[in-house]
Structures are given as structure tokens and as C-alpha cells.
Amino acid sequence: MKMAAPTASKAASLGCNNKPAFPELDFRSGARVEELNKLIQEFTKHDQREYDDQRALEIHTAKDFIFSMLGMVQKLDQKLPVANEYLLLSGGVREGVVDLDLDELNVYARGTDYDMDFTLLVPALKLHDRNQPVTLDMRHSALCHSWLSLRLFDEGTISKWKDCCTIVDHINGATNYFFSPTKVADWFYDSISIVLSEIQKKPQRGMPKVEKVEKNGTIISIILGVGSSRMLYDIVPVVSFKGWPAVAQSWLMENHFWDGKITEEEVISGFYLVPACSYKGKKDNEWRLSFARSEVQLKKCISSSLMQAYQACKAIIIKLLSRPKAISPYHLRSMMLWACDRLPASYLAQEDYAAHFLLGLIDDLQHCLVNKMCPNYFIPQCNMLEHLSEETVMLHARKLSSVRSDPAEHLRTAIEHVKAANRLTLELQRRGSTTSIPSPQSDGGDPNQPDDRLAKKLQQLVTENPGKSISVFINPDDVTRPHFRIDDKFF
């Protein structure tokens, strides 16, 4: 006997057309997606600190001190450009804000060693007068890397920087000077040390305390104490170019997630050479191409839920995959940019999809490791994992597998770490509150006068622009008036 098909009303009563009664689950781990979303939100709440007026003023005081110090470095031997443009990024080199994966980096921890961290790109040389694609000498280098001949510059520049070059004599008798990242970093560290020594001989009221100055490979790390705050500045000597490198020209021909949201001119306004060589490169000669300026612009087009997932994922992997060294946060950022190109914008814009994005980033990272393939976003023919051994990639892939099996537990651990760092910071602030250093601008005057207004303005800038970069234009002859830009806003 045949059974009649259920009517529409019966089907509805059986739940065929309704959402299932059970919560949405992650197939691999069985974790509730709603719970993962809540954990990511909790992590974001603790990871993004809000600054009161005092902290905002301390940030400003430290920034002014660093800029004044660089102005004095320029005056030492006139090597740095007189009118320079710095790129200030929120987050240190260890946070992967720039593609600078160095073996010599010392381990600093937020809460223990510092409360906030920044990366400052300081051009030692600028090549800003070209409209056509920039062609670099990449004959001796791996992809994404280049040597830099001073032949591109005038005789005065060559004369100034000869002592920071490696010299290659050709058969025809000509001498070529190649700008050396290691020698430039040595000069920069020595110059900063001299300037800081002079500054500390004549301390001024409210001046930041220099708690640490260390050379980490080719970057200089400075930790400043201002009032109850400790700020880490990773200062990186770079070569700055306007325009776009010829090697990345084909990337512009492809379709990208930012098309129509920002202009191509904003994306290709400039690039850098940063002092880092490839796995088998010659450290004294080889620089790495960096697209930090472009990445600042691209971040404007990434949804807040995807950024939250990225920050949470970064916090999970940064310690888990630290030994042996293979994966940096910059790899994860590259994967996120590729995902933005691959997936529909409407999907990535979903506010309650942070859990899906986190799980997807972990899957992407594991896929890249297993296949030993992570293309650079701007130069896809450059595989950033090519040099890793099979043993290393499989070890890290297995570690990620454990994360994927229980993402909620790893998120809880990340939350506990960031809460512990915040507790350490608050404890040190309480201890130092009775001996808080006043701002140099205050001079012991009425605290409700101009400084209060300045502090409120700075607080507004900091809270309204989390994770954004600041370009600073400074005249070394008038270091009291820095002009800075947060993305496309000028102040």
C-alpha cells in the first residue's frame, strides 16, 4: 500500500521547512559557532585597550621624543633626508605589521616588557621623482628581494653613504656601491646611541625614561617609560620609493577585493625596501620589498568581523608555532588578503561570521603548510614557505590540527593571556601612580589648560583609529611641530 506524501502543512509541522532546533555546530570540532563568536568578541574586548587622557598624553610624549631624537640623528652627519616621511604602524615587528621575519629578534612580552608597541619605518634614502615603474637590480636575489646600487642616486648621496655600502669592482674598472642593510643598521644604531647618550646628559622635566635600547638584527628596539606607560618602538631603516615596482606590475592587472572601494593610486602610491634578506641571500646586500604603505590602504576594505578573527587567530598561533621558526603573523595576513580576493564581499561582510572566518583562517594556514605554499599577495610568484623543511611544516600542521579540533579551548587560552598582560600593566600603573612623570608640555601648569584639550584630541585619534598607520612629516630644524596623518586624515 502506497503512503501519501505529507501535505505542506504536515511537512511544516514535522519541521521540514523550519530551521533545525539544534544550534549551529562546527563539523570538525563540534564547537558551537555561537560560543566561538562570543569568545572572539571577548578576546577583542580585552585585546583592544581604551586609553584615558593620561595614557593618550603619554603616547604623544613618547612619539615627540622619538621624532626629536631622529631629528638629532639627522643633524649628526646629515645622512638622513632633511625633509623625511616616516610611516608609523600600530604594533611591533613581532606582531607581523611588516614583512620582516628576523632570526635575531629578542622576545618581548606585552604586560611584562611593554604596554604598547609601534613600528616606525625611517627612510635612509628616498627615490621619489619617478613616474614610471621602478626597476630594481634583482639579478643576485631571490624573488621579493633586491640589491640597491647607489648609481640611482647623485654623487652627493653616494659620497655620504659610501661607508654603508659593499663595493663591487668590475673588470672595466668601474666601481659599484651597493647599499648594505646590515651596515646601515649598524650606523643607525650607533647614531641613535650617541644621540640618546647626549639627551640623557641633560635630562629635562617630564622627559621619557629610556628603559632599553637594543639592536635586533637590522632593527633598533627602544622601550620608553612615560608616566605609568611603557612603549616599545621598533625602528626600521628603509629605502622609500614612490610609484610601484616593475616586478609587481602584473598584480595590478588582476581583479581584487578592493576594486571600486579605493583607487589604484592609493594602493600603488609607494613601497619600501626593508633590511631583511632571503633564506639563502647575502645579508650584507639583500633588501626585501615591503608593501606596508599599500597594506594600510587595503585594511580599510576588510570587514571588522574578519579583522577580529584575524587578530584572534594571530594570538593563538604566535606562540603555538614559534618553535621552530616557520610561520609569522605576516604569513597569516597574506592568507587573509588572498581570502578577501577569493570570497564574496557580501559573505565577508557578515557581522556574526567571525567564528567561520577564524576556522577558515586556521584551515587556510594548515593547507599552506601541508602544501608548503604561501604566495606573497603582491608578488604571487614568490612562495614565502618554499625554504621550509618537510619535518618543520608537518610539525606545525599537526599543531594546527590540535587547534582545529578544539578552537574554543585555544581561544580561552588566548583570552587568559591577554587578560594577564592587562593585569600586569594595571599593576605597574598602580605602583607608578604616585611617581607619575608629568608631560614635558605641562610644566606644572594648570592641568585643565591646553594639555587637557590635547589629551582629549589624542585620545579621540587613538580610539577612533585602532590598528591604523600614521605617516609623519617632520622638519628636523623644527621638531616641535610634527605633522602626522592617520591613513587619509591629516592633523
Side-chain angles (χ1 to χ4, degrees):
M1 177 179 172
K2 281 188 177 180
M3 294 187 65
T7 63
S9 59
K10 284 182 180 177
S13 67
L14 291 171
C16 298
N17 294 330
N18 293 338
K19 282 191 173 182
F22 51 82
E24 186 180 3
L25 301 178
D26 168 39
F27 186 92
R28 174 69 190 90
S29 65
R32 293 177 57 165
V33 169
E34 183 183 5
E35 182 191 7
L36 294 178
N37 275 326
K38 286 179 179 176
L39 288 170
I40 292 170
Q41 287 169 10
E42 185 179 355
F43 172 82
T44 302
K45 180 183 74 174
H46 293 294
D47 190 50
Q48 293 180 350
R49 290 87 61 201
E50 290 193 3
Y51 308 133
D52 58 16
D53 286 358
Q54 180 63 29
R55 176 60 67 88
L57 198 54
E58 289 165 354
I59 292 171
H60 177 77
T61 301
K63 175 180 68 68
D64 273 3
F65 179 84
I66 292 291
F67 295 157
S68 297
M69 176 197 75
L70 290 171
M72 294 172 71
V73 167
Q74 194 279 335
K75 289 182 177 181
L76 272 182
D77 51 14
Q78 307 295 312
K79 272 187 162 74
L80 294 181
V82 174
N84 217 350
E85 179 183 348
Y86 309 145
L87 184 66
L88 180 61
L89 301 165
S90 176
V93 165
R94 294 154 192 80
E95 291 290 308
V97 298
V98 68
D99 187 8
L100 198 69
D101 192 15
L102 302 176
D103 294 330
E104 304 93 334
L105 278 178
N106 289 342
V107 177
Y108 301 144
R110 186 166 75 81
T112 305
D113 301 298
Y114 64 90
D115 306 314
M116 283 164 291
D117 52 343
F118 303 94
T119 297
L120 187 63
L121 304 188
V122 179
L125 288 175
K126 296 195 303 180
L127 204 59
H128 283 188
D129 57 349
R130 296 190 169 197
N131 293 319
Q132 70 269 31
V134 181
T135 303
L136 297 167
D137 186 354
M138 307 179 85
R139 295 170 297 169
H140 317 284
S141 307
L143 273 168
C144 285
H145 296 79
S146 178
W147 290 21
L148 182 67
S149 169
L150 288 194
R151 285 179 178 173
L152 295 171
F153 299 86
D154 57 63
E155 284 299 324
T157 301
I158 295 173
S159 177
K160 270 187 209 175
W161 286 105
K162 271 184 182 178
D163 56 340
C164 289
C165 292
T166 57
I167 300 171
V168 177
D169 291 317
H170 293 284
I171 299 172
N172 61 9
T175 299
N176 203 349
Y177 295 95
F178 286 100
F179 206 43
S180 169
T182 52
K183 291 186 178 183
V184 170
D186 288 342
W187 164 82
F188 205 27
Y189 175 70
D190 291 342
S191 299
I192 286 175
S193 299
I194 290 168
V195 165
L196 289 178
S197 177
E198 288 300 312
I199 290 174
Q200 289 170 321
K201 284 178 184 175
K202 300 174 183 176
Q204 296 179 5
R205 186 170 180 268
M207 188 175 75
K209 179 185 176 185
V210 181
E211 297 189 357
K212 190 174 289 185
V213 184
E214 290 184 343
K215 185 169 173 288
N216 288 286
T218 50
I219 70 170
I220 293 90
S221 297
I222 300 176
I223 296 180
L224 299 177
V226 189
S228 58
S229 301
R230 297 158 303 157
M231 285 156 225
L232 167 63
Y233 271 84
D234 283 329
I235 302 178
V236 186
V238 300
V239 182
S240 173
F241 294 86
K242 281 283 190 274
W244 198 245
V247 69
Q249 200 69 20
S250 61
W251 177 79
L252 294 174
M253 305 297 109
E254 305 294 331
N255 294 324
H256 296 291
F257 71 98
W258 47 267
D259 292 337
K261 298 176 182 175
I262 52 176
T263 65
E264 186 174 287
E265 287 71 25
E266 289 176 286
V267 174
I268 65 170
S269 61
F271 68 99
Y272 298 100
L273 294 181
V274 296
C277 74
S278 60
Y279 180 63
K280 292 183 178 178
K282 189 173 180 182
K283 286 189 175 183
D284 287 345
N285 283 24
E286 197 171 85
W287 299 77
R288 179 177 294 162
L289 275 76
S290 168
F291 300 92
R293 185 187 294 275
S294 302
E295 288 160 5
V296 167
Q297 300 298 325
L298 299 187
K299 271 179 69 177
K300 298 177 187 176
C301 307
I302 298 175
S303 70
S304 59
S305 50
L306 179 55
M307 282 304 301
Q308 287 175 8
Y310 163 75
Q311 295 292 351
C313 189
K314 182 173 73 169
I316 290 170
I317 70 161
I318 203 165
K319 289 185 174 64
L320 185 73
L321 305 186
S322 61
R323 293 288 181 271
K325 197 163 189 179
I327 293 292
S328 77
Y330 191 82
H331 291 107
L332 186 64
R333 183 193 293 196
S334 300
M335 293 170 203
M336 177 176 65
L337 292 173
W338 281 119
C340 289
D341 273 357
R342 184 176 72 241
L343 296 163
S346 56
Y347 169 75
L348 294 174
Q350 297 297 314
E351 291 184 5
D352 57 349
Y353 274 32
H356 296 285
F357 301 153
L358 171 68
L359 298 173
L361 286 170
I362 296 170
D363 287 342
D364 258 9
L365 187 52
Q366 194 167 19
H367 175 83
C368 289
L369 280 166
V370 169
N371 291 281
K372 216 163 75 170
M373 173 63 73
C374 180
N376 181 283
Y377 182 67
F378 299 93
I379 306 177
Q381 59 269 37
C382 172
N383 175 11
M384 298 189 291
L385 299 183
E386 187 177 27
H387 63 281
L388 296 180
S389 69
E390 295 293 333
E391 293 80 8
T392 296
V393 295
M394 290 312 297
L395 172 64
H396 286 319
R398 283 194 293 271
K399 288 180 181 178
L400 277 178
S401 180
S402 71
V403 176
R404 194 60 185 81
S405 298
D406 195 353
E409 183 57 33
H410 284 85
L411 275 171
R412 291 188 194 98
T413 301
I415 290 167
E416 286 309 310
H417 283 159
V418 75
K419 285 167 82 172
N422 289 340
R423 282 195 298 270
L424 275 171
T425 294
L426 289 171
E427 179 59 31
L428 285 164
Q429 283 178 339
R430 279 195 291 270
R431 287 184 200 168
S433 61
T434 55
T435 57
S436 180
I437 304 171
S439 163
Q441 288 86 357
S442 66
D443 272 342
D446 184 349
N448 296 315
Q449 287 307 312
D451 278 342
D452 186 49
R453 294 197 299 272
L454 173 64
K456 286 179 179 175
K457 178 184 175 185
L458 287 167
Q459 180 193 8
Q460 184 182 359
L461 294 184
V462 170
T463 54
E464 287 182 357
N465 300 279
K468 294 189 178 179
S469 80
I470 304 171
S471 289
V472 181
F473 302 82
I474 188 166
N475 178 354
D477 295 317
D478 182 14
V479 293
T480 62
R481 292 174 59 85
H483 303 282
F484 54 100
R485 179 186 73 202
I486 299 181
D487 283 352
D488 52 353
K489 299 178 188 175
F490 287 83
F491 302 91

